[in-house]
Amino acid sequence: MSMLYPSAQARVSRPRAVTRVTSQWSKRSLSFFARYGLLIFFFAGWQVASHVGWLNPAVIPPLDKVVLALWNAVHSGALLGDIAISLQRAGLAFFSAVIIGIPLGLFMGQIRPIERALDPILQLFRQTSALALYPVFILLFGLGETSKVFVIFWAALFPVLLSTISGVKQVDGKLLEMARTFGASELTLFRRVIVPASIPGIFVGLRLSATTALLLLIAAEMIGANRGIGFQVMNAQYNFQIPLMFAAIFLLALAGLLANSILVFLQRRLCRWNPRDQ
């Protein structure tokens, strides 16, 4: 039987460790490009097409000019005030929709006669465009902040409300029956079974509501505002500052991605028991 000295063993184990690290790096690289490769190709194609003249650079400027305009606008503070007021509007409307929509959805999902009675009018309001109602909100609340926040709140309310109702209705009946068998009270049943089981459906509504809030934010700021990112998009377009216009659009996209990432993180933390959310 041959024996390896420590130095020889180290020489044998070192290539194995290098091979293992290389294999892990390759897997991570492949996973990264499988997920983001098309996006990287899109931005690279945009940059090349604008530089070589396949796209009109006056209308669709190169990506480096857009990034430079974004950096200059943020670094100089020109967009910071608009970012703050847009986040304030969208945040206030979104959290108001959450505070009202989730408790109301849990209540309506529990009491089926009330849910059946209110569902037709909820569907009517949901199918009515919030932008079509915006002139009504302006007549009621004026051209100030209230009408802008309310139209965003109105559009953001229904996704979270209806998703919460659906989440409660889809709770497994066997779980409820088992909890009742073990003597759980209605309050315990609600806290320990219905609410946790409804969380995945609630988060679907929250993500839709956050997206809707950002979409309505831009529309509201484009129509009747003199501050905000949506206003800056329109103002840059009127003044033919096209790189700045795309920079503001990118800011909105980044805000949407950040909001979605935060909600996905919270969903994974709160739904560790659900393998679909891991």
Side-chain angles (χ1 to χ4, degrees):
M1 181 181 297
S2 63
M3 297 181 61
L4 294 175
Y5 292 103
S7 59
Q9 291 177 346
R11 285 195 298 269
V12 172
S13 61
R14 191 176 299 117
R16 292 178 180 174
V18 172
T19 303
R20 192 182 309 115
V21 171
T22 304
S23 176
Q24 292 177 352
W25 177 256
S26 299
K27 289 180 180 178
R28 290 178 181 176
S29 299
L30 289 174
S31 176
F32 176 82
F33 281 106
R35 184 174 180 84
Y36 299 106
L38 188 59
L39 185 63
I40 294 172
F41 177 78
F42 169 75
F43 285 129
W46 179 352
Q47 176 73 10
V48 171
S50 294
H51 266 299
V52 301
W54 295 342
L55 297 174
N56 186 355
V59 178
I60 304 180
L63 191 61
D64 58 342
K65 291 187 178 181
V66 175
V67 174
L68 181 62
L70 177 60
W71 167 257
N72 291 334
V74 173
H75 184 68
S76 65
L79 279 180
L80 293 181
D82 296 291
I83 294 171
I85 195 167
S86 292
L87 292 179
Q88 179 182 341
R89 288 166 179 161
L92 180 58
F94 173 73
F95 285 112
S96 298
V98 170
I99 291 170
I100 294 175
I102 292 179
L104 184 59
L106 291 172
F107 173 74
M108 291 178 61
Q110 280 281 91
I111 304 177
R112 300 299 172 86
I114 294 179
E115 188 268 332
R116 284 195 296 268
L118 294 179
D119 184 68
I121 192 168
L122 287 178
Q123 295 297 334
L124 174 65
F125 287 149
R126 184 174 75 93
Q127 299 299 333
T128 304
S129 171
L131 286 179
L133 294 173
Y134 191 28
V136 179
F137 298 147
I138 291 176
L139 289 175
L140 291 173
F141 304 113
L143 282 170
E145 290 296 307
T146 305
S147 61
K148 298 178 183 61
V149 173
F150 196 83
V151 72
I152 301 168
F153 159 78
W154 183 265
L157 174 65
F158 294 103
V160 65
L161 173 61
L162 296 176
S163 294
T164 303
I165 294 173
S166 177
V168 173
K169 291 170 65 176
Q170 291 178 5
V171 175
D172 192 348
K174 294 181 180 179
L175 292 176
L176 301 176
E177 183 179 350
M178 183 181 300
R180 290 191 178 100
T181 302
F182 283 97
S185 65
E186 290 300 320
L187 180 60
T188 303
L189 195 69
F190 178 76
R191 290 191 302 107
R192 303 297 297 272
V193 179
I194 294 175
V195 172
S198 304
I199 287 177
I202 291 173
F203 268 95
V204 171
L206 289 177
R207 293 168 68 181
L208 290 173
S209 181
T211 302
T212 303
L214 288 174
L215 292 175
L216 265 294
L217 167 72
I218 304 314
E221 290 181 341
M222 285 181 175
I223 293 173
N226 56 8
R227 294 290 303 277
I229 302 178
F231 167 77
Q232 288 298 337
V233 172
M234 293 298 295
N235 187 57
Q237 187 263 333
Y238 287 146
N239 294 297
F240 213 70
Q241 298 173 311
I242 305 303
L244 181 60
M245 181 188 75
F246 277 98
I249 293 172
F250 273 133
L251 269 179
L252 296 169
L254 290 174
L257 289 173
L258 179 60
N260 184 72
S261 299
I262 293 172
L263 290 173
V264 169
F265 173 77
L266 291 175
Q267 182 176 359
R268 288 177 177 173
R269 296 283 293 180
L270 294 174
C271 302
R272 294 178 179 177
W273 50 268
N274 189 356
R276 296 181 180 178
D277 295 315
Q278 302 305 316

